[in-house]
Each structure stands twice: as structure tokens, then as C-alpha cells.
Amino acid sequence: MRIAGPFLLVTTPIGVAFGLREAWRLAGPKMAVLMAAMLAVVGALVWWTVRRIRQEQARAQKRGAGD
């Protein structure tokens, strides 16, 4: 895990950039824009989920400290 974490953090954005570039090259700019929009929606949903989990954990800790 010591190597895998940083490796994935570096290679994933590079792979996404290459994928968008290939979509542009093979299917045109409309496909690349569509893929970028899909990535933005998925990213927003992940952010929303993480935010919700952190809020619920903070509420649970607050309730536990209040007892």
C-alpha cells in the first residue's frame, strides 16, 4: 500500500487525460466534452457522498461528547 497509493494518485489523472484526448481524436470534440461532463458529475457525486459522511460523523461525535 505504500507504493500503490501514490502510484494511483499519479497515474489516474494521467489516464483520464489520455482518455479524453483519445475520445477527441477518435470521436471528435463532442465525445470529449460528453466524457468530461460525465467525469464532472461522478466527481461531484463522490464529493457529495464524502461530505455527507463527514457531516454525519461530526454529528455523532458531537452527540457522544454531549453525553
Side-chain angles (χ1 to χ4, degrees), residues 9-21:
L9 286 173
V10 171
T11 57
T12 300
I14 292 171
V16 169
F18 276 120
L20 289 172
R21 185 179 138 262

Side-chain angles (χ1 to χ4, degrees), residues 61-67:
Q61 286 179 353
K62 192 184 240 185
R63 266 188 305 216
D67 289 340

Side-chain angles (χ1 to χ4, degrees), residues 20 24 28-38:
L20 289 172
W24 186 290
K30 290 181 183 177
M31 179 59 77
V33 169
L34 186 63
M35 285 179 61
M38 180 191 69

